[in-house]
Amino acid sequence: QVQLVESGGGLVQAGGSLRLSCTASGLTFSSYAMGWFRQAPGKEREFVGFSWSGGTRYDADSVKGRFTISRDSANKTVYLQMNSLKPEDTAVYYCAASAQVTMRHRDYAYWGQGTQVTVSS
């Protein structure tokens, strides 16, 4: 049974930082791309970025230069470091696992429960 457990969300002031973690179990971590998505109220789910075993990451234009994705294969954990946060970054953040290297949320078979990030102005 595959599980993705996220942690690290919370309330932060604009300009602050947060680091989200997502720990996977029940899958071969090296065989999966680990993606981060976010969804703000009333908006569609948005791709943030992904990391895969090749070490490459891709960050969506809206977060480039501010967010960084990394992975710890030994602990089956992927991180989303968020710096210079803005109120428009407020959303529920999800991690997800896909057997493909992809930005499309429908290609991700497994999802975490989501963690709320709120950025106050």
Side-chain angles (χ1 to χ4, degrees), residues 10-52:
L11 173 64
V12 64
Q13 288 188 333
S17 298
L18 281 175
R19 189 176 79 157
L20 307 183
S21 302
C22 172
T23 299
S25 60
L27 55 73
T28 302
F29 192 70
S30 60
S31 298
Y32 284 81
M34 300 299 295
W36 286 98
F37 295 80
R38 65 184 182 183
Q39 189 164 19
K43 295 188 177 181
E44 293 189 352
R45 192 163 297 190
E46 177 188 20
F47 169 78
V48 174
F50 68 75
S51 175
W52 60 296

Side-chain angles (χ1 to χ4, degrees), residues 36-48 88-94 105 111 114-117:
W36 286 98
F37 295 80
R38 65 184 182 183
Q39 189 164 19
K43 295 188 177 181
E44 293 189 352
R45 192 163 297 190
E46 177 188 20
F47 169 78
V48 174
E88 52 264 42
D89 294 317
T90 295
V92 177
Y93 284 71
Y94 298 90
H105 65 82
W111 290 81
T115 186
Q116 177 70 47
V117 171

Side-chain angles (χ1 to χ4, degrees), residues 4-109:
L4 303 178
V5 179
E6 300 154 0
S7 61
L11 173 64
V12 64
Q13 288 188 333
S17 298
L18 281 175
R19 189 176 79 157
L20 307 183
S21 302
C22 172
T23 299
S25 60
L27 55 73
T28 302
F29 192 70
S30 60
S31 298
Y32 284 81
M34 300 299 295
W36 286 98
F37 295 80
R38 65 184 182 183
Q39 189 164 19
K43 295 188 177 181
E44 293 189 352
R45 192 163 297 190
E46 177 188 20
F47 169 78
V48 174
F50 68 75
S51 175
W52 60 296
S53 60
T56 301
R57 67 179 189 271
Y58 179 86
D59 306 318
D61 287 343
S62 61
V63 304
K64 276 185 177 177
R66 300 189 298 121
F67 291 11
T68 302
I69 295 173
S70 60
R71 65 196 279 155
D72 177 353
S73 295
N75 291 303
K76 295 187 176 182
T77 300
V78 62
Y79 301 98
L80 178 64
Q81 177 67 45
M82 304 183 292
N83 299 326
S84 301
L85 283 161
K86 305 174 181 180
E88 52 264 42
D89 294 317
T90 295
V92 177
Y93 284 71
Y94 298 90
C95 73
S98 173
Q100 304 174 52
V101 179
T102 177
M103 297 183 293
R104 300 185 305 184
H105 65 82
R106 63 177 178 270
D107 293 330
Y108 283 79

